[in-house]
């Protein structure tokens, strides 16, 4: 079966820094797959390479069998890849409405835009209450909702989520993960990078462990949670 998303022997550089070293991974339609690793392991670079922000120097990125290596970010988005970057990157001087509307930049039908916005409001009722508020005045949790909502406006087939719980109060983290499960249940495949490895593995079906730009381990999420090295290094157990 053709994977929805597949990386084959991907090497990515930042100048002379070899950030990804022959990464191979696949995500099948309907899955939640997580990338686990310490800071600097290459998790965010993997997502950036998929979405076209960074470019693979060697290897290939395939979306349902189509080679998308080297495409520009807006071209990758148009093919069905949504990317919620680390740090949210919303437009702080634009309203919630305007931020969401930008997410549907390639849609001309107002009725389609309205329909997609209603879906976002079903997931994030708080955003509807803040519709005319500038993004920069929202709380951290609300900004994360807005960043995810903006990506969903393009109706992606696969959503790349980079550290969705970063900077959020613990009480909000569980809510964000509930939303991730809802988005997946509604038919969107998810590739998740998350500092909270335990939460990520609890919602994922499979996972990859990245170390220094290479895949060190891959398995079902259940098996990774019970792996001695993973428990010691990433789940904080002695």
């Amino acid at each position: 079966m053709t994977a929805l998303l597949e990386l084959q022997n991907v090497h990515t550089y930042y100048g002379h820094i070899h950030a990804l070293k022959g990464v191979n991974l696949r995500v099948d339609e309907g899955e939640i797959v997580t990338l686990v690793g310490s800071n600097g392991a290459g998790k965010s670079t993997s997502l950036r390479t998929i979405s076209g922000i960074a470019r693979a120097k060697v290897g290939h990125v395939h979306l349902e069998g189509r080679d998308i290596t080297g495409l520009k970010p807006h071209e990758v988005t148009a093919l069905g890849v949504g990317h919620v970057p680390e740090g949210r990157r919303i437009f702080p001087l634009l309203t919630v409405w305007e931020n969401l509307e930008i997410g549907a930049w390639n849609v001309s039908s107002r009725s389609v835009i309205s329909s997609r916005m209603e879906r976002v409001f079903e997931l994030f009722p708080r955003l509807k209450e803040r519709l005319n508020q500038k993004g920069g005045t929202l709380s951290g949790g609300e900004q994360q909702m807005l960043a995810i909502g903006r990506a969903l406006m393009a109706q992606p087939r696969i959503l790349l989520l980079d550290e969705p719980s970063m900077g959020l109060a613990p009480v909000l983290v569980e809510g964000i993960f509930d939303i991730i499960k809802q988005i997946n249940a509604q038919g969107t495949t998810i590739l998740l990078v998350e500092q909270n490895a335990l939460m990520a593995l609890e919602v994922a079906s499979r996972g990859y462990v990245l170390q220094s730009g290479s895949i060190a381990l891959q398995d079902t999420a259940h098996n990774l949670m019970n792996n001695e090295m993973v428990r010691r290094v990433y789940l904080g157990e002695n």
Side-chain angles (χ1 to χ4, degrees), residues 148-170:
I148 296 172
R150 182 180 61 188
L152 291 175
M153 288 294 292
Q155 208 161 26
R157 296 192 60 197
I158 183 166
L159 186 63
L160 314 178
L161 288 174
D162 197 349
E163 304 285 11
S165 78
M166 180 178 283
L168 298 187

mmCIF file of all heavy atoms in Angstrom, residues 148-170:
data_model
loop_
_atom_site.group_PDB
_atom_site.id
_atom_site.type_symbol
_atom_site.label_atom_id
_atom_site.label_comp_id
_atom_site.label_asym_id
_atom_site.label_seq_id
_atom_site.Cartn_x
_atom_site.Cartn_y
_atom_site.Cartn_z
ATOM 1 N N ILE A 148 -3.548 26.091 14.923
ATOM 2 C CA ILE A 148 -4.092 24.833 14.409
ATOM 3 C C ILE A 148 -5.284 25.106 13.501
ATOM 4 O O ILE A 148 -5.412 24.528 12.415
ATOM 5 C CB ILE A 148 -4.484 23.895 15.567
ATOM 6 C CG1 ILE A 148 -3.247 23.485 16.377
ATOM 7 C CG2 ILE A 148 -5.210 22.654 15.039
ATOM 8 C CD1 ILE A 148 -3.558 22.711 17.653
ATOM 9 N N GLY A 149 -6.162 26.009 13.946
ATOM 10 C CA GLY A 149 -7.335 26.352 13.146
ATOM 11 C C GLY A 149 -6.961 26.915 11.790
ATOM 12 O O GLY A 149 -7.579 26.571 10.767
ATOM 13 N N ARG A 150 -5.943 27.777 11.755
ATOM 14 C CA ARG A 150 -5.497 28.355 10.480
ATOM 15 C C ARG A 150 -5.028 27.255 9.530
ATOM 16 O O ARG A 150 -5.350 27.276 8.339
ATOM 17 C CB ARG A 150 -4.357 29.352 10.740
ATOM 18 C CG ARG A 150 -3.843 30.044 9.487
ATOM 19 C CD ARG A 150 -2.720 31.010 9.828
ATOM 20 N NE ARG A 150 -1.592 30.304 10.438
ATOM 21 C CZ ARG A 150 -0.541 30.918 10.981
ATOM 22 N NH1 ARG A 150 -0.495 32.241 11.022
ATOM 23 N NH2 ARG A 150 0.450 30.222 11.499
ATOM 24 N N ALA A 151 -4.281 26.270 10.042
ATOM 25 C CA ALA A 151 -3.827 25.162 9.192
ATOM 26 C C ALA A 151 -5.003 24.336 8.684
ATOM 27 O O ALA A 151 -5.008 23.872 7.534
ATOM 28 C CB ALA A 151 -2.846 24.280 9.953
ATOM 29 N N LEU A 152 -6.019 24.149 9.529
ATOM 30 C CA LEU A 152 -7.183 23.357 9.132
ATOM 31 C C LEU A 152 -8.014 24.049 8.057
ATOM 32 O O LEU A 152 -8.766 23.385 7.334
ATOM 33 C CB LEU A 152 -8.054 23.051 10.349
ATOM 34 C CG LEU A 152 -7.467 22.089 11.372
ATOM 35 C CD1 LEU A 152 -8.391 21.982 12.582
ATOM 36 C CD2 LEU A 152 -7.217 20.710 10.770
ATOM 37 N N MET A 153 -7.891 25.362 7.944
ATOM 38 C CA MET A 153 -8.651 26.098 6.928
ATOM 39 C C MET A 153 -8.277 25.673 5.514
ATOM 40 O O MET A 153 -9.061 25.843 4.575
ATOM 41 C CB MET A 153 -8.447 27.604 7.100
ATOM 42 C CG MET A 153 -9.139 28.204 8.311
ATOM 43 S SD MET A 153 -10.950 28.137 8.212
ATOM 44 C CE MET A 153 -11.263 29.279 6.864
ATOM 45 N N ALA A 154 -7.088 25.124 5.335
ATOM 46 C CA ALA A 154 -6.680 24.619 4.019
ATOM 47 C C ALA A 154 -7.165 23.189 3.792
ATOM 48 O O ALA A 154 -6.892 22.603 2.749
ATOM 49 C CB ALA A 154 -5.159 24.686 3.879
ATOM 50 N N GLN A 155 -7.865 22.639 4.773
ATOM 51 C CA GLN A 155 -8.403 21.269 4.727
ATOM 52 C C GLN A 155 -7.304 20.274 4.327
ATOM 53 O O GLN A 155 -7.423 19.560 3.324
ATOM 54 C CB GLN A 155 -9.579 21.182 3.757
ATOM 55 C CG GLN A 155 -10.554 20.090 4.128
ATOM 56 C CD GLN A 155 -11.915 20.267 3.487
ATOM 57 O OE1 GLN A 155 -12.072 20.883 2.434
ATOM 58 N NE2 GLN A 155 -12.930 19.720 4.114
ATOM 59 N N PRO A 156 -6.247 20.187 5.138
ATOM 60 C CA PRO A 156 -5.131 19.311 4.778
ATOM 61 C C PRO A 156 -5.479 17.833 4.915
ATOM 62 O O PRO A 156 -6.311 17.448 5.738
ATOM 63 C CB PRO A 156 -4.055 19.694 5.795
ATOM 64 C CG PRO A 156 -4.841 20.138 6.999
ATOM 65 C CD PRO A 156 -6.045 20.850 6.433
ATOM 66 N N ARG A 157 -4.813 17.012 4.120
ATOM 67 C CA ARG A 157 -4.941 15.559 4.262
ATOM 68 C C ARG A 157 -4.060 15.073 5.399
ATOM 69 O O ARG A 157 -4.366 14.085 6.054
ATOM 70 C CB ARG A 157 -4.560 14.874 2.954
ATOM 71 C CG ARG A 157 -5.485 15.229 1.807
ATOM 72 C CD ARG A 157 -5.233 14.316 0.641
ATOM 73 N NE ARG A 157 -5.474 12.929 1.006
ATOM 74 C CZ ARG A 157 -5.025 11.887 0.302
ATOM 75 N NH1 ARG A 157 -4.324 12.090 -0.787
ATOM 76 N NH2 ARG A 157 -5.272 10.656 0.692
ATOM 77 N N ILE A 158 -2.922 15.758 5.580
ATOM 78 C CA ILE A 158 -2.035 15.431 6.687
ATOM 79 C C ILE A 158 -1.630 16.720 7.377
ATOM 80 O O ILE A 158 -1.333 17.728 6.733
ATOM 81 C CB ILE A 158 -0.796 14.635 6.228
ATOM 82 C CG1 ILE A 158 0.068 14.263 7.438
ATOM 83 C CG2 ILE A 158 0.013 15.389 5.168
ATOM 84 C CD1 ILE A 158 1.125 13.209 7.143
ATOM 85 N N LEU A 159 -1.653 16.710 8.702
ATOM 86 C CA LEU A 159 -1.338 17.877 9.505
ATOM 87 C C LEU A 159 -0.041 17.622 10.254
ATOM 88 O O LEU A 159 0.091 16.631 10.982
ATOM 89 C CB LEU A 159 -2.481 18.138 10.492
ATOM 90 C CG LEU A 159 -2.412 19.404 11.346
ATOM 91 C CD1 LEU A 159 -2.454 20.659 10.478
ATOM 92 C CD2 LEU A 159 -3.567 19.427 12.348
ATOM 93 N N LEU A 160 0.931 18.514 10.061
ATOM 94 C CA LEU A 160 2.209 18.444 10.764
ATOM 95 C C LEU A 160 2.127 19.367 11.970
ATOM 96 O O LEU A 160 1.973 20.580 11.821
ATOM 97 C CB LEU A 160 3.362 18.892 9.853
ATOM 98 C CG LEU A 160 3.392 18.315 8.425
ATOM 99 C CD1 LEU A 160 4.581 18.898 7.655
ATOM 100 C CD2 LEU A 160 3.445 16.801 8.444
ATOM 101 N N LEU A 161 2.208 18.801 13.154
ATOM 102 C CA LEU A 161 2.081 19.571 14.390
ATOM 103 C C LEU A 161 3.423 19.600 15.114
ATOM 104 O O LEU A 161 3.941 18.556 15.510
ATOM 105 C CB LEU A 161 1.026 18.952 15.306
ATOM 106 C CG LEU A 161 -0.431 19.092 14.905
ATOM 107 C CD1 LEU A 161 -1.327 18.284 15.843
ATOM 108 C CD2 LEU A 161 -0.863 20.549 14.921
ATOM 109 N N ASP A 162 3.974 20.798 15.308
ATOM 110 C CA ASP A 162 5.286 20.933 15.935
ATOM 111 C C ASP A 162 5.140 21.547 17.323
ATOM 112 O O ASP A 162 4.870 22.733 17.460
ATOM 113 C CB ASP A 162 6.186 21.814 15.056
ATOM 114 C CG ASP A 162 7.666 21.676 15.411
ATOM 115 O OD1 ASP A 162 7.973 21.066 16.450
ATOM 116 O OD2 ASP A 162 8.508 22.178 14.651
ATOM 117 N N GLU A 163 5.307 20.710 18.343
ATOM 118 C CA GLU A 163 5.273 21.128 19.751
ATOM 119 C C GLU A 163 3.982 21.878 20.112
ATOM 120 O O GLU A 163 4.023 23.008 20.610
ATOM 121 C CB GLU A 163 6.494 22.012 20.082
ATOM 122 C CG GLU A 163 7.838 21.373 19.787
ATOM 123 C CD GLU A 163 8.237 20.298 20.798
ATOM 124 O OE1 GLU A 163 7.396 19.901 21.613
ATOM 125 O OE2 GLU A 163 9.400 19.858 20.735
ATOM 126 N N PRO A 164 2.821 21.272 19.909
ATOM 127 C CA PRO A 164 1.567 21.984 20.190
ATOM 128 C C PRO A 164 1.349 22.331 21.652
ATOM 129 O O PRO A 164 0.579 23.246 21.950
ATOM 130 C CB PRO A 164 0.490 21.016 19.685
ATOM 131 C CG PRO A 164 1.142 19.675 19.700
ATOM 132 C CD PRO A 164 2.575 19.925 19.361
ATOM 133 N N SER A 165 2.017 21.635 22.585
ATOM 134 C CA SER A 165 1.796 21.936 24.008
ATOM 135 C C SER A 165 2.839 22.883 24.591
ATOM 136 O O SER A 165 2.760 23.240 25.764
ATOM 137 C CB SER A 165 1.787 20.635 24.831
ATOM 138 O OG SER A 165 3.106 20.158 25.057
ATOM 139 N N MET A 166 3.806 23.301 23.770
ATOM 140 C CA MET A 166 4.901 24.124 24.287
ATOM 141 C C MET A 166 4.388 25.430 24.892
ATOM 142 O O MET A 166 3.622 26.169 24.273
ATOM 143 C CB MET A 166 5.909 24.443 23.185
ATOM 144 C CG MET A 166 7.086 25.295 23.657
ATOM 145 S SD MET A 166 8.292 25.598 22.352
ATOM 146 C CE MET A 166 9.123 24.024 22.320
ATOM 147 N N GLY A 167 4.800 25.700 26.122
ATOM 148 C CA GLY A 167 4.453 26.953 26.780
ATOM 149 C C GLY A 167 3.055 27.007 27.357
ATOM 150 O O GLY A 167 2.646 28.041 27.881
ATOM 151 N N LEU A 168 2.312 25.918 27.275
ATOM 152 C CA LEU A 168 0.937 25.923 27.778
ATOM 153 C C LEU A 168 0.885 25.418 29.215
ATOM 154 O O LEU A 168 1.663 24.548 29.617
ATOM 155 C CB LEU A 168 0.049 25.034 26.905
ATOM 156 C CG LEU A 168 -0.106 25.415 25.432
ATOM 157 C CD1 LEU A 168 -1.144 24.514 24.781
ATOM 158 C CD2 LEU A 168 -0.474 26.879 25.265
ATOM 159 N N ALA A 169 -0.047 25.953 29.971
ATOM 160 C CA ALA A 169 -0.273 25.468 31.331
ATOM 161 C C ALA A 169 -0.735 24.013 31.261
ATOM 162 O O ALA A 169 -1.454 23.626 30.323
ATOM 163 C CB ALA A 169 -1.332 26.319 32.022
ATOM 164 N N PRO A 170 -0.331 23.202 32.246
ATOM 165 C CA PRO A 170 -0.694 21.775 32.227
ATOM 166 C C PRO A 170 -2.187 21.526 32.037
ATOM 167 O O PRO A 170 -2.579 20.562 31.376
ATOM 168 C CB PRO A 170 -0.220 21.278 33.593
ATOM 169 C CG PRO A 170 0.926 22.183 33.935
ATOM 170 C CD PRO A 170 0.546 23.533 33.389
#
